[in-house]
Amino acid sequence: MKSSSYSLKEIQQQVDEVTRFLSATLSIANAHTVEFYTHDVWKRFMAVSPEEVLSAVSSDSDQQREPERKETEQSRTTFGFCIDSNQLVDTHELLQAAKAHSLPGLGVCMSRDELLLDFRGNQFESAAQSAEMGAEMEPEEFMNSKKSHEVQSMSEVVACLAEHCGVRQVIDVGSGKGYLSSFLSLQYGLRVYGIDSSSTNTHGAQERNRKLKKFSRAYQKHTKTASMHAEAAHSPQEEIVKIKPELRGDEDVLHGDAVGNSPQEENVSVNSSDVNAAVETQPDLNPETEKLFLHALSADVVPSTSPRIPPSHLSAEERERRKRENLERKAQSRRDGAGAVFSPLTSYVTAETELRELITELEDAILVGLHTCGDLGPSTLRMFVAKPELTAVCSVGCCYHLLSEEFDPARQECLHSACGFPLSQYLRERSWFCGRNARMSACLALERVSLGQGIQMESLFYRAVLHVILRDHYSAYKSEKRVGNVYSKAKSFVDYVRRALRRLELDESKLSDCDIQDYYDTYRVRMDEMRAFNMLKVTLAPCIEGLILLDRLCYLKEEEDVSFSALVQLFDPLLSPRCYAVVGLKSLTKRMTS
């Protein structure tokens, strides 16, 4: 069943299942790796050997899923933990329960294709074919493969929502460098307002968008040139022109003003004397130029070419009419802002932000966020619910460790504003609390770690043993000062410790190199304990992330004005571990009466 089909009560039942599981296992996720040896974490939580855990984790993916064992008087375990000692006694039971309480195990998510099919209906097949064609033209000149995958996957969904809601404006919160905003503007002709709290990001987004626009205009002229080249075989009087690109340092530029669109250039009657000096006569098109433009641009910014009548065959009256139409089209394009415009804005936004103070031309719009950090994710959903002009939302969160929690016992995270978790009234009534270390664990990528990526175990081991040294020899081992990233510069454990002591401004003369090496040798034999424990934390990561996202979905389900809400897997988790989007639409009645 798709999450859009679940009722509020059914989502609440899913939340109950996950919270029941996490109530028994969250203490593992909240154990701090730094304190692994000083607090003897392994003996505290484990009644099995690290070898048994590592073997179970490595073999679990090859085994068929067994029925989850329920708590009974005979077994005296819950999710693999002994009820009496609260220690793990059955690793396989824990691993199977973790799978069952993750989002894939709960079966609560829609796929991206299912979402598109729901909104496009019979048009889905042609749209999918269009998307497949566009995938061959990834804008990799401006993005890495991960970002390109995210931007193209999400932008198609956003464009589909915009079409379904009949809107042309998009507000991209936490827009960062403007990758998604620029692509939505150029690929789908949407007017996008990118809002980011960093002026550095906003300036970078403006520069990046300027380059993309230059490529867009240049590619259109390049296509026009190709069309002229094709006609040359039938019209030897016509000159063949070609754009000659040049990469100058970090700038993508063209000679002279080749990217300009003057009325003479748009007139079907082309004369070689009217062509800018940057355009030169050439017999062949440069394939590298075409590849460059194809990688930088989208399909929709490239005008389709159709057979045209050679200018020599047109009457003077027809040439004049076409010239007039071209001029009128350019004027209309300027008046409309060409529709496809990306406007970067610098502002810190919350649910209370008045969007009309930031965007004077605000109309009904789609609210989006690609990897909105911490509290910005839930703030995006609160904003969607509160603002009548926002018709739909598509939000992908990240950085769960930066979320503030309402029921944090320390009460330090959200004294003056709304907290990021829990968001739903249902979990707030239960005063649910995760903890920062658990939220940090939620950021781990199970799919990547399963392939041997993601955890730098030696650096974690170094830091944990350093903590033992600080406990044994320095009274400031709970200092507010941070060790920082000294591991990447260290040549050995001894070098690491000495660098860390200098960073903490502690007297390193207390310890000889032999003393430091002895600590390393003593704990090196226990490194498998840390490796096994961290693999269990990784196994629990999807369950913690699942609860955070179910809470957000539950929040939308609680709102009567939200007619559609779902969790959607937008990305390949190997490429982009934070791959789930919260999608919501308001009812048509609500939008019409607002």
Side-chain angles (χ1 to χ4, degrees):
M1 185 184 294
K2 296 177 290 189
S3 57
S4 59
S5 303
Y6 282 98
S7 66
L8 171 60
K9 184 177 180 179
E10 289 170 325
I11 293 299
Q12 290 171 343
Q13 291 172 345
Q14 299 274 22
V15 169
D16 288 341
E17 285 295 312
V18 178
T19 53
R20 177 175 173 267
F21 172 70
L22 289 178
S23 293
T25 59
L26 206 58
S27 56
I28 289 180
N30 270 317
H32 205 306
T33 306
V34 168
E35 300 169 340
F36 189 79
Y37 297 118
T38 56
H39 288 190
D40 212 353
V41 169
W42 185 263
K43 289 184 178 179
R44 178 183 171 189
F45 291 107
M46 301 293 151
V48 294
S49 68
E51 292 77 19
E52 181 180 336
V53 172
L54 291 172
S55 175
V57 170
S58 63
S59 64
D60 188 66
S61 59
D62 300 326
Q63 295 180 351
Q64 292 185 349
R65 179 172 165 174
E66 301 172 357
E68 180 185 325
R69 292 204 303 188
K70 302 296 183 181
E71 177 185 337
T72 65
E73 286 296 318
Q74 184 176 6
S75 68
R76 302 293 296 169
T77 63
T78 302
F79 306 123
F81 286 85
C82 175
I83 295 173
D84 298 324
S85 66
N86 292 324
Q87 289 182 311
L88 181 67
V89 295
D90 190 331
T91 305
H92 283 289
E93 185 179 352
L94 173 62
L95 296 179
Q96 294 299 328
K99 284 184 179 179
H101 292 89
S102 65
L103 290 180
L106 294 170
V108 73
C109 291
M110 297 178 71
S111 70
R112 177 176 167 273
D113 286 350
E114 286 174 332
L115 180 73
L116 294 173
L117 181 61
D118 274 2
F119 286 106
R120 286 175 172 163
N122 295 332
Q123 298 176 352
F124 176 72
E125 184 176 353
S126 60
Q129 292 172 351
S130 175
E132 184 177 354
M133 290 176 62
E136 296 178 1
M137 296 180 281
E138 294 180 358
E140 293 176 350
E141 295 299 324
F142 296 90
M143 312 177 202
N144 59 34
S145 59
K146 173 181 179 292
K147 183 60 67 176
S148 178
H149 168 66
E150 294 166 350
V151 165
Q152 292 190 87
S153 297
M154 186 167 179
S155 62
E156 186 178 3
V157 169
V158 173
C160 178
L161 293 174
E163 183 178 2
H164 179 81
C165 296
V167 302
R168 302 300 299 166
Q169 286 191 1
V170 175
I171 300 174
D172 181 7
V173 293
S175 55
K177 297 179 179 180
Y179 291 119
L180 177 64
S181 297
S182 293
F183 198 74
L184 282 169
S185 172
L186 291 174
Q187 171 91 343
Y188 295 100
L190 297 168
R191 183 171 188 108
V192 186
Y193 298 93
I195 305 176
D196 196 271
S197 61
S198 168
S199 58
T200 301
N201 280 344
T202 302
H203 177 72
Q206 288 173 327
E207 282 299 297
R208 191 167 291 100
N209 192 58
R210 179 185 62 79
K211 294 178 182 181
L212 282 169
K213 283 184 176 179
K214 182 174 289 188
F215 270 116
S216 176
R217 293 192 298 267
Y219 191 85
Q220 291 182 44
K221 184 160 185 180
H222 173 74
T223 305
K224 184 185 299 181
T225 299
S227 176
M228 293 170 59
H229 183 217
E231 293 165 16
H234 304 286
S235 181
Q237 295 85 359
E238 295 293 328
E239 296 268 2
I240 301 170
V241 294
K242 169 180 174 289
I243 297 174
K244 186 174 182 180
E246 175 184 276
L247 298 183
R248 183 177 301 155
D250 191 41
E251 294 273 352
D252 300 308
V253 298
L254 297 170
H255 289 294
D257 190 29
V259 297
N261 288 325
S262 67
Q264 292 86 351
E265 291 168 339
E266 291 201 359
N267 194 329
V268 282
S269 180
V270 178
N271 189 298
S272 60
S273 61
D274 294 328
V275 180
N276 191 279
V279 184
E280 59 185 50
T281 302
Q282 292 285 350
D284 296 309
L285 293 174
N286 185 343
E288 290 302 316
T289 301
E290 183 174 4
K291 180 180 179 182
L292 184 64
F293 287 143
L294 288 174
H295 279 210
L297 298 174
S298 61
D300 288 355
V301 300
V302 181
S304 59
T305 59
S306 57
R308 61 187 277 271
I309 302 173
S312 59
H313 295 177
L314 295 174
S315 66
E317 181 181 1
E318 179 65 13
R319 286 198 299 269
E320 185 61 29
R321 184 187 67 79
R322 294 192 180 190
K323 180 177 180 179
R324 185 170 60 253
E325 287 179 352
N326 285 333
L327 291 174
E328 290 174 353
R329 188 161 51 247
K330 282 180 65 82
Q332 183 63 42
S333 176
R334 285 192 294 269
R335 286 194 297 270
D336 295 342
V341 174
F342 167 39
S343 303
L345 305 170
T346 302
S347 177
Y348 180 82
V349 294
T350 66
E352 290 73 38
T353 300
E354 287 297 332
L355 294 176
R356 293 192 183 277
E357 293 181 2
L358 294 175
I359 306 169
T360 57
E361 300 175 353
L362 182 64
E363 302 171 357
D364 285 354
I366 307 293
L367 187 66
V368 304
L370 174 54
H371 291 152
T372 48
C373 283
D375 285 349
L376 185 56
S379 289
T380 300
L381 300 181
R382 286 194 176 103
M383 191 182 304
F384 163 67
V385 169
K387 310 297 181 185
E389 58 269 22
L390 299 177
T391 63
V393 65
C394 182
S395 173
V396 181
C398 71
C399 303
Y400 301 128
H401 61 293
L402 298 179
L403 278 172
S404 59
E405 294 200 62
E406 182 175 356
F407 301 103
D408 175 13
R411 300 292 295 172
Q412 296 176 349
E413 294 186 302
C414 50
L415 298 178
H416 306 293
S417 60
C419 291
F421 181 86
L423 186 61
S424 68
Q425 188 62 31
Y426 188 72
L427 270 184
R428 292 182 67 202
E429 289 173 353
R430 284 151 182 75
S431 303
W432 185 263
F433 172 71
C434 282
R436 188 179 188 277
N437 289 336
R439 288 183 277 111
M440 181 75 80
S441 297
C443 299
L444 296 171
L446 175 61
E447 291 80 7
R448 287 184 174 180
V449 174
S450 299
L451 295 179
Q453 308 171 19
I455 295 184
Q456 296 293 328
M457 192 58 61
E458 187 177 64
S459 65
L460 297 177
F461 173 73
Y462 276 18
R463 183 63 184 87
V465 179
L466 171 66
H467 208 61
V468 177
I469 293 174
L470 295 176
R471 179 198 63 185
D472 291 351
H473 296 278
Y474 301 90
S475 60
Y477 80 101
K478 291 186 177 181
S479 170
E480 293 297 321
K481 296 177 182 177
R482 295 184 178 274
V483 172
N485 185 25
V486 300
Y487 172 79
S488 61
K489 301 176 183 178
K491 299 177 181 178
S492 65
F493 179 72
V494 172
D495 186 32
Y496 170 85
V497 171
R498 297 220 174 275
R499 287 175 180 269
L501 293 176
R502 289 194 292 270
R503 176 71 64 86
L504 296 173
E505 298 179 356
L506 297 175
D507 182 9
E508 60 177 300
S509 65
K510 284 186 177 183
L511 297 169
S512 67
D513 287 354
C514 289
D515 293 333
I516 297 173
Q517 187 63 39
D518 284 345
Y519 275 96
Y520 176 85
D521 295 338
T522 298
Y523 286 94
R524 180 69 181 81
V525 295
R526 296 180 58 188
M527 190 172 178
D528 275 351
E529 293 178 1
M530 177 176 283
R531 181 178 289 108
F533 195 83
N534 276 287
M535 288 306 298
L536 292 180
K537 294 180 78 169
V538 171
T539 301
L540 296 175
C543 307
I544 304 168
E545 179 183 32
L547 179 63
I548 293 171
L549 295 179
L550 282 172
D551 172 57
R552 297 178 184 184
L553 177 61
C554 188
Y555 170 75
L556 293 185
K557 296 283 185 185
E558 291 171 345
E559 298 296 325
E560 293 182 358
D561 296 330
V562 178
S563 60
F564 173 93
S565 54
L567 292 178
V568 183
Q569 183 176 333
L570 290 187
F571 313 133
D572 178 348
L574 282 174
L575 283 175
S576 181
R578 304 282 76 79
C579 60
Y580 296 105
V582 181
V583 177
L585 277 79
K586 287 178 182 167
S587 62
L588 181 61
T589 303
K590 168 67 176 177
R591 283 151 40 197
M592 292 178 65
T593 57
S594 300

